[in-house]
């Protein structure tokens, strides 16, 4: 067996994290303001590949979980927005159980942000505005793919795309699919995780209060 064929032992993979930490005094007044700070650092200073990539975890009515990576497309004090096919597995599960968790895994910076909250659909005007900002090919792809459905092979998918490309050539407006749109996740709690030496990480979590304010609590690593 060559070194290339030898299995890797994940238990032996260790990295010492940074000495600098995250204190309560470092935090912004709201979790969205703090997220904006870290997001900018991840994108500009860290130059991370797709810092808006997040793991979206949902569960069906029976509590069976599923997770996938989705791109964040907007955030503000009302929540975090992503778009999908409303017939997809995640959308079906959100219709049954609107509670959701988002995870931003910024590993090169030894950081992660975890958002937990409730998701609801964005309005059609907001959906249409975003859809028209997408590249032409992505607009066609939203029509061509019946997301999460079982298909026989790639051929049918490519044929559907080719047919749409002929019907809506570059420069012609593509209508918004009726079964495609956004979800806004209203946060109930947002945790900011900073890796520290000796696995004594800093974990500071904002928790929403009934009056609309935020309580900050420190979690043991």
């Amino acid at each position: 067996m060559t070194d290339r064929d030898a299995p890797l032992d994940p238990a032996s993979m260790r990295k010492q994290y940074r000495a600098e930490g995250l204190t309560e005094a470092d935090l912004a007044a709201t979790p969205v303001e703090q997220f904006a700070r870290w997001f900018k650092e991840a994108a500009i200073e860290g130059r991370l590949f797709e810092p808006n990539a997040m793991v979206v975890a949902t569960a069906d009515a029976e509590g069976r979980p599923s997770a996938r990576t989705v791109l964040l497309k907007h955030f503000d004090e009302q929540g975090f927005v992503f778009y999908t096919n409303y017939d997809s597995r995640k959308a079906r599960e959100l219709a049954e159980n609107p509670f959701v968790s988002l995870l931003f895994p910024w590993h090169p910076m030894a950081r992660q942000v975890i958002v937990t909250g409730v998701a609801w659909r964005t309005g059609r005007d907001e959906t249409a505005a975003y859809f028209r900002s997408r590249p032409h090919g992505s607009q066609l792809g939203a029509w061509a793919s019946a997301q999460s459905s079982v298909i026989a092979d790639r051929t049918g998918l490519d044929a559907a795309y080719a047919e749409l490309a002929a019907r809506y050539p570059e420069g012609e407006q593509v209508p918004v699919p009726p079964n495609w749109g956004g979800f806004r996740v209203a946060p109930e709690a947002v945790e900011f995780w900073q890796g520290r030496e000796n696995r004594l990480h800093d974990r500071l979590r904002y928790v929403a209060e009934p009056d609309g304010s935020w309580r900050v609590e420190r979690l043991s690593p």
Side-chain angles (χ1 to χ4, degrees):
M1 179 182 294
T2 67
D3 291 342
R4 185 171 182 176
D5 296 328
L8 290 175
D9 179 11
S12 66
M13 297 177 180
R14 295 183 178 87
K15 182 176 178 60
Q16 186 69 286
Y17 294 138
R18 59 197 283 177
E20 301 83 10
L22 179 66
T23 69
E24 287 80 350
D26 296 327
L27 295 179
T30 71
V32 172
E33 291 177 36
Q34 181 62 33
F35 179 85
R37 289 180 186 176
W38 271 24
F39 183 69
K40 186 175 182 179
E41 291 176 12
I44 297 177
E45 297 175 22
R47 297 182 179 181
L48 301 191
F49 177 72
E50 293 193 328
N52 59 327
M54 59 184 183
V55 178
V56 177
T58 58
D60 63 17
E62 284 72 46
R64 293 171 295 194
S66 64
R68 74 289 293 159
T69 302
V70 176
L71 296 180
L72 174 73
K73 289 302 178 181
H74 178 72
F75 67 91
D76 55 27
E77 292 296 338
Q78 281 67 54
F80 299 79
V81 179
F82 65 91
Y83 292 86
T84 187
N85 187 310
Y86 285 145
D87 295 325
S88 66
R89 178 175 180 177
K90 57 183 164 303
R92 294 196 308 268
E93 291 183 349
L94 287 172
E96 297 176 356
N97 178 358
F99 296 102
V100 61
S101 179
L102 313 176
L103 168 65
F104 295 86
W106 296 329
H107 301 307
M109 302 181 74
R111 286 178 174 176
Q112 61 182 348
V113 179
I114 304 169
V115 179
T116 53
V118 178
W120 73 86
R121 292 187 181 189
T122 60
R124 292 308 291 174
D125 288 346
E126 184 177 355
T127 289
Y130 170 69
F131 184 81
R132 295 189 181 108
S133 75
R134 304 181 90 204
H136 182 72
S138 296
Q139 293 181 19
L140 298 178
W143 279 98
S145 173
Q147 195 175 83
S148 298
S149 64
V150 176
I151 57 177
D153 53 37
R154 176 85 190 192
T155 304
L157 182 65
D158 291 338
Y161 183 90
E163 180 182 342
L164 287 160
R167 187 187 314 169
Y168 302 107
E170 189 76 43
E172 186 167 331
Q173 182 170 297
V174 180
V176 182
N179 62 335
W180 188 94
F183 281 101
R184 174 173 279 102
V185 178
E188 296 180 338
V190 184
E191 178 186 332
F192 292 85
W193 183 100
Q194 175 65 70
R196 296 292 304 276
E197 292 180 325
N198 305 314
R199 298 300 186 260
L200 297 177
H201 313 306
D202 285 323
R203 299 176 60 190
L204 297 180
R205 180 170 64 187
Y206 293 80
V207 179
E209 298 282 32
D211 64 0
S213 63
W214 294 93
R215 179 180 80 254
V216 174
E217 53 192 19
R218 178 175 285 270
L219 304 178
S220 176

